[in-house]
Amino acid sequence: MTTEQDRGEARCNQVLDAAATCFRQRGFHGASMAELARAAGMSVGHIYHYFENKEAIIAAIVERDVAEILALLDSLHDEEDILQALIREAGNEMEESPCSDEALQVEILAEASRNPKVAVTVHEGDRRARTRLAETIASGRARRGLPPLADLEARTEIIIALFEGLMLRRIRHPKAVDDATIAVLRSTLHTLLET
Amino acid sequence: MTTEQDRGEARCNQVLDAAATCFRQRGFHGASMAELARAAGMSVGHIYHYFENKEAIIAAIVERDVAEILALLDSLHDEEDILQALIREAGNEMEESPCSDEALQVEILAEASRNPKVAVTVHEGDRRARTRLAETIASGRARRGLPPLADLEARTEIIIALFEGLMLRRIRHPKAVDDATIAVLRSTLHTLLET
Amino acid sequence: MTTEQDRGEARCNQVLDAAATCFRQRGFHGASMAELARAAGMSVGHIYHYFENKEAIIAAIVERDVAEILALLDSLHDEEDILQALIREAGNEMEESPCSDEALQVEILAEASRNPKVAVTVHEGDRRARTRLAETIASGRARRGLPPLADLEARTEIIIALFEGLMLRRIRHPKAVDDATIAVLRSTLHTLLET
Amino acid sequence: MTTEQDRGEARCNQVLDAAATCFRQRGFHGASMAELARAAGMSVGHIYHYFENKEAIIAAIVERDVAEILALLDSLHDEEDILQALIREAGNEMEESPCSDEALQVEILAEASRNPKVAVTVHEGDRRARTRLAETIASGRARRGLPPLADLEARTEIIIALFEGLMLRRIRHPKAVDDATIAVLRSTLHTLLET
DNA sequence: GATGAATGAGCGTTCATTCAT
DNA sequence: GATGAATGAACGCTCATTCAT
């Protein structure tokens, strides 16, 4: 039973990985279910055993992304200086520029703009991530003896906007993110988090 | 002759306005040429007299947006304090929340991620807008007697990222932009521009 | 203009003729739009210029059938003895066994059982045909000096049931309709109409 | 062994009951094997242990219906006046309007129009039911001292047509069968059976 | 006996684009 | 300039059927 469950979950992740790649390369509407199926190594029809339709696949990708972010934020609580860790991680993420994630994120945003079901998933995921980031910042400040922030939520918004905005900049300006930009990013985060 | 040219230009703008509305509401792939034609008050076939194909329409929208941004930046040079004007305008733009422009911008980004022709237009448009903003900032600082910035391009990048990022935040969190957030935005811009 | 209208109408009828043939031979769900298109001598997509979808095609067939029945009933009013003409026509229709119409009629009934839009068209068409038949019977009796019928609607129902039932009998029993059966049909109609 | 056979038969009937319900509600092509399986409380694959394919299921439904009709006709032989019993039962069946059986019957007719295997089952079943009804009528007349009918088969055809036709009328005219119609039905059957 | 994962052809429908008028 | 009829490939999705377990 457990084996079967695992198998099903593995198959699901196979689809999500394939879909993330396809959506990145061809867009949500540009990637056909036939392409997803080929990339996932299964038949078109079988994908529908795991996902009700195409929008359910992108919703699942969103949820997986949120879980990853929450895990990253949680891991920061083990660090001595949470705020420093946040600033460090933000820069690292941008530096790595792992696999043109901006292309996938923009597809998610585009679909959320139009598709109410995807919008709900995105809103809820953002609420959870946003709340956790605010908590992480508050913890970090407390641990450092800094006073609580009256505008914690607003600063959190700006930090997320800065981070997502910089990632999406790569679409309009592929060389946007260089060492100098990351230095300014870090200094801006310093102002927002530590003052 | 001039009248004919004007008429053609007006017809073009009719198409661009209609297309901007349609793309905003239904997405680039979601809006059909038939919808565009209906919204523009002309036949499907006639749109092809003005635009080679659908991607040429979104490219033209991008160029019109860039022209608008350049005009706005130019207008700031008439102000006494350019930097203050920049900060003021940034806040105003975000406050107005004109007509869910984020939905159109995300369509442009999505299409630029995938479509090389649109990408070229977007890259070039961004280069011009970015350069002009950097010049505007330099002028503003000079006029205020502030020293030239070694990291001018990087700061410009961060400012654009902040601005675009905040606009796109509305997709994931419709209430992202409130008075508190704009206050933090203005204070961050102050740090980036005036120190 | 008139020519264009005619052309459009002719194209529509081209589709309806092709659809009637295809539905007869393969059933409503068995006949694909590709088959219809081939039979109608036009592209799949073009059929959608004339009909919103597949169910609109069968609805249009129903309406055309109703118009034909109404025309037939109207033509009977020119006869000297309408009741005799009705009995004669009923027998003739069954004798001719024109083109396995039962197969198309059963498809219409099957679709009307399930599809609310088709059901509405069928109900409305039946109401018109039923009312006209009752009027025709009343006229015929009046012209013959027979007294008005208290159970006119009920007799009309039974007559239609008899007629449709006999047509559909050919599906369960292809030899159902022979001279002897038609003789009994005529004698039953005599009892229902002329007594 | 007998127990096992009974179990198998019960499972078969489970499938047939479920299928009758599904076909009634969604049509033969509209009802998927997955729906049948769910309604029958067993897996999709297992249905294929009992029935070769989907058409075998509808054929089995036809055979069960025929058996039921034969049983009903046989039971009439115990009545004192078989003809009166026939007329009474016909009216009762129509009055009860059990469970929109017309929707299932029309699916059977539609499938028989197209599917040769189903057609064979339907033809054979009809032959048996038709023959038995003719025998029943002959018995009834003999028991009443009425002379044998030269057109027995033709009258039988008309009676069946009347009965099936009236049932199918409900599709085109849901209120077709009311007390007045049943009265005319009974009087018509009287003429056909007792004169 | 019993399951349900897996297939892939085929469905109705849409759409950017062309071109005769 | 301006129209909209016409195309046909491609889309998301469904489904009867099979078969390893």
Side-chain angles (χ1 to χ4, degrees):
Chain A
M1 200 58 178
T2 308
T3 312
E4 273 184 35
Q5 262 184 0
D6 286 359
R7 215 168 91 95
E9 217 169 306
R11 294 290 253 166
C12 269
N13 276 314
Q14 226 172 304
V15 175
L16 293 184
D17 291 340
T21 304
C22 289
F23 293 163
R24 242 191 294 272
Q25 289 170 353
R26 319 259 280 114
F28 178 70
H29 286 105
S32 70
M33 290 300 293
E35 281 176 284
L36 294 208
R38 209 176 310 120
M42 70 181 73
S43 72
V44 176
H46 199 47
I47 292 181
Y48 285 86
H49 276 272
Y50 297 110
F51 299 96
E52 201 189 335
N53 48 34
K54 217 180 172 190
E55 80 190 13
I57 297 176
I58 206 162
I61 289 176
V62 170
E63 301 213 321
R64 217 172 54 162
D65 280 359
V66 169
E68 204 182 304
I69 289 168
L70 294 183
L72 175 68
L73 288 177
D74 281 353
S75 76
L76 296 186
H77 283 264
D78 300 335
E79 305 262 354
E80 201 180 335
D81 185 336
I82 297 176
L83 301 183
Q84 279 303 320
L86 259 176
I87 294 170
R88 184 209 337 125
E89 285 303 317
N92 286 353
E93 283 273 313
M94 295 309 313
E95 258 170 347
E96 288 166 12
S97 163
C99 50
S100 67
D101 200 41
E102 65 275 8
L104 179 55
Q105 293 306 318
V106 87
E107 287 304 321
I108 290 168
L109 290 173
E111 198 52 22
S113 295
R114 232 72 59 194
N115 186 324
K117 283 194 189 163
V118 174
V120 166
T121 309
V122 164
H123 292 165
E124 180 55 21
D126 188 71
R127 194 188 55 71
R128 292 194 309 175
R130 196 170 69 228
T131 307
R132 194 74 63 95
L133 176 57
E135 288 165 5
T136 305
I137 292 170
S139 289
R141 288 182 65 92
R143 205 177 286 183
R144 283 261 291 272
L146 291 165
L149 291 168
D151 60 355
L152 175 62
E153 277 80 16
R155 290 200 192 192
T156 307
E157 271 301 341
I158 291 292
I159 289 166
I160 302 175
L162 196 44
F163 193 73
E164 292 207 329
L166 201 48
M167 187 181 61
L168 294 178
R169 279 301 292 154
R170 282 199 271 242
I171 298 173
R172 291 204 205 251
H173 180 202
K175 294 181 181 167
V177 185
D178 58 11
D179 290 348
T181 317
I182 289 179
V184 179
L185 168 67
R186 285 195 163 126
S187 120
T188 306
L189 288 176
H190 162 76
T191 310
L192 286 162
L193 291 171
E194 300 177 328
T195 65
Chain B
M1 203 56 174
T2 309
T3 311
E4 273 187 35
Q5 262 185 1
D6 287 356
R7 212 167 91 95
E9 216 169 305
R11 293 289 254 167
C12 267
N13 275 313
Q14 228 172 302
V15 175
L16 294 184
D17 292 338
T21 304
C22 289
F23 292 165
R24 239 191 293 275
Q25 288 170 353
R26 320 258 281 110
F28 179 70
H29 284 104
S32 69
M33 290 300 289
E35 280 176 283
L36 295 208
R38 210 176 309 123
M42 70 181 71
S43 73
V44 177
H46 201 48
I47 293 182
Y48 283 85
H49 275 275
Y50 296 111
F51 299 96
E52 200 189 335
N53 50 33
K54 216 178 171 189
E55 77 191 17
I57 297 175
I58 207 163
I61 289 176
V62 170
E63 301 213 319
R64 217 172 55 160
D65 280 359
V66 169
E68 203 183 305
I69 289 168
L70 294 183
L72 175 68
L73 289 177
D74 282 353
S75 76
L76 296 186
H77 283 265
D78 300 336
E79 305 262 354
E80 202 181 335
D81 186 333
I82 297 178
L83 301 184
Q84 278 304 320
L86 258 176
I87 293 171
R88 183 208 340 125
E89 286 302 316
N92 287 352
E93 283 273 314
M94 293 310 311
E95 258 170 348
E96 287 167 12
S97 166
C99 50
S100 66
D101 200 43
E102 65 274 10
L104 180 55
Q105 294 305 319
V106 86
E107 287 304 319
I108 290 168
L109 289 173
E111 198 53 22
S113 294
R114 233 71 61 192
N115 186 322
K117 284 193 189 166
V118 174
V120 166
T121 310
V122 164
H123 292 165
E124 180 53 24
D126 189 72
R127 194 189 53 71
R128 291 194 303 165
R130 195 170 72 229
T131 308
R132 192 75 61 94
L133 177 57
E135 289 164 5
T136 304
I137 292 170
S139 290
R141 289 183 64 92
R143 204 177 288 182
R144 284 262 289 273
L146 293 163
L149 292 167
D151 59 355
L152 176 62
E153 279 78 15
R155 289 200 194 194
T156 306
E157 271 302 342
I158 292 291
I159 289 167
I160 302 175
L162 196 45
F163 194 73
E164 292 208 328
L166 200 48
M167 188 182 60
L168 294 179
R169 279 299 293 154
R170 282 201 270 243
I171 297 173
R172 292 204 204 249
H173 180 203
K175 296 181 181 168
V177 184
D178 58 11
D179 290 348
T181 317
I182 290 181
V184 179
L185 168 67
R186 285 192 163 127
S187 122
T188 306
L189 288 176
H190 162 77
T191 310
L192 287 162
L193 291 170
E194 301 178 328
T195 64
Chain C
M1 201 58 177
T2 308
T3 310
E4 274 185 35
Q5 262 185 0
D6 287 357
R7 215 168 90 94
E9 217 170 305
R11 294 291 252 167
C12 268
N13 277 313
Q14 226 173 304
V15 176
L16 293 184
D17 292 340
T21 304
C22 289
F23 293 164
R24 241 191 294 273
Q25 289 170 352
R26 318 259 279 114
F28 179 70
H29 286 106
S32 71
M33 290 300 292
E35 280 175 284
L36 294 207
R38 209 176 311 118
M42 70 181 72
S43 72
V44 176
H46 199 46
I47 292 182
Y48 284 85
H49 276 272
Y50 297 111
F51 298 96
E52 202 190 332
N53 49 34
K54 216 181 172 188
E55 80 190 12
I57 298 176
I58 207 163
I61 290 177
V62 170
E63 302 213 320
R64 218 172 54 161
D65 281 359
V66 169
E68 204 182 304
I69 290 169
L70 294 182
L72 176 67
L73 289 177
D74 281 352
S75 76
L76 296 185
H77 283 265
D78 300 335
E79 305 262 355
E80 201 181 335
D81 185 334
I82 297 178
L83 301 183
Q84 279 303 320
L86 258 175
I87 294 170
R88 182 209 339 125
E89 285 303 317
N92 287 352
E93 282 274 313
M94 294 309 313
E95 257 169 350
E96 288 166 12
S97 164
C99 49
S100 67
D101 200 42
E102 66 274 10
L104 180 55
Q105 294 305 319
V106 86
E107 287 305 320
I108 290 168
L109 290 173
E111 197 53 23
S113 294
R114 233 72 61 193
N115 185 323
K117 283 194 190 164
V118 175
V120 166
T121 309
V122 163
H123 292 165
E124 180 55 21
D126 188 70
R127 194 187 55 70
R128 293 193 307 170
R130 197 170 70 229
T131 307
R132 195 73 63 94
L133 177 56
E135 288 165 5
T136 305
I137 292 170
S139 289
R141 288 183 65 92
R143 204 176 286 182
R144 283 260 291 271
L146 292 165
L149 290 167
D151 59 354
L152 176 62
E153 278 79 16
R155 289 198 193 192
T156 307
E157 272 301 342
I158 291 292
I159 289 165
I160 302 175
L162 196 45
F163 194 74
E164 291 208 329
L166 201 49
M167 187 181 62
L168 294 179
R169 279 300 294 154
R170 284 200 270 241
I171 297 173
R172 291 204 205 251
H173 180 203
K175 295 182 180 167
V177 184
D178 57 11
D179 290 348
T181 317
I182 289 180
V184 178
L185 168 67
R186 286 192 162 129
S187 122
T188 305
L189 288 177
H190 162 76
T191 309
L192 286 162
L193 291 171
E194 300 177 328
T195 64
Chain D
M1 202 56 176
T2 308
T3 310
E4 272 187 36
Q5 262 186 359
D6 287 356
R7 212 166 92 94
E9 216 169 307
R11 293 290 252 168
C12 267
N13 275 314
Q14 227 172 304
V15 176
L16 293 185
D17 291 340
T21 304
C22 289
F23 292 164
R24 239 190 292 275
Q25 288 170 352
R26 319 260 280 109
F28 179 71
H29 285 105
S32 69
M33 290 300 289
E35 279 176 283
L36 294 207
R38 209 176 310 119
M42 70 182 70
S43 73
V44 178
H46 201 48
I47 292 181
Y48 282 86
H49 274 275
Y50 296 111
F51 299 96
E52 200 190 334
N53 50 33
K54 217 180 170 188
E55 77 190 17
I57 297 175
I58 207 162
I61 289 177
V62 170
E63 302 213 319
R64 217 172 53 161
D65 280 359
V66 169
E68 204 183 303
I69 289 168
L70 295 182
L72 175 68
L73 289 177
D74 282 353
S75 76
L76 296 186
H77 283 265
D78 300 336
E79 305 261 354
E80 202 180 335
D81 185 334
I82 296 177
L83 301 183
Q84 278 303 321
L86 258 176
I87 294 171
R88 185 210 337 127
E89 285 302 317
N92 288 351
E93 283 275 313
M94 293 310 311
E95 257 169 349
E96 288 166 13
S97 164
C99 49
S100 67
D101 200 42
E102 65 273 10
L104 180 56
Q105 294 306 318
V106 86
E107 287 304 320
I108 290 168
L109 290 173
E111 198 53 23
S113 294
R114 234 70 61 194
N115 187 322
K117 284 193 189 165
V118 175
V120 166
T121 309
V122 164
H123 292 165
E124 180 54 23
D126 188 72
R127 193 189 54 70
R128 292 194 304 166
R130 196 170 70 229
T131 307
R132 193 75 61 96
L133 176 56
E135 289 165 6
T136 304
I137 293 170
S139 289
R141 287 183 66 91
R143 204 178 288 181
R144 283 262 291 273
L146 293 164
L149 291 167
D151 58 356
L152 176 62
E153 278 80 15
R155 289 198 192 194
T156 306
E157 271 301 341
I158 291 292
I159 288 165
I160 301 174
L162 196 46
F163 194 74
E164 292 207 329
L166 202 48
M167 187 181 61
L168 294 179
R169 279 301 292 154
R170 281 200 270 243
I171 297 173
R172 291 204 205 251
H173 180 203
K175 295 181 180 169
V177 184
D178 58 11
D179 289 348
T181 318
I182 290 180
V184 178
L185 169 67
R186 285 194 163 127
S187 121
T188 306
L189 288 177
H190 162 76
T191 308
L192 287 162
L193 291 171
E194 301 177 330
T195 65

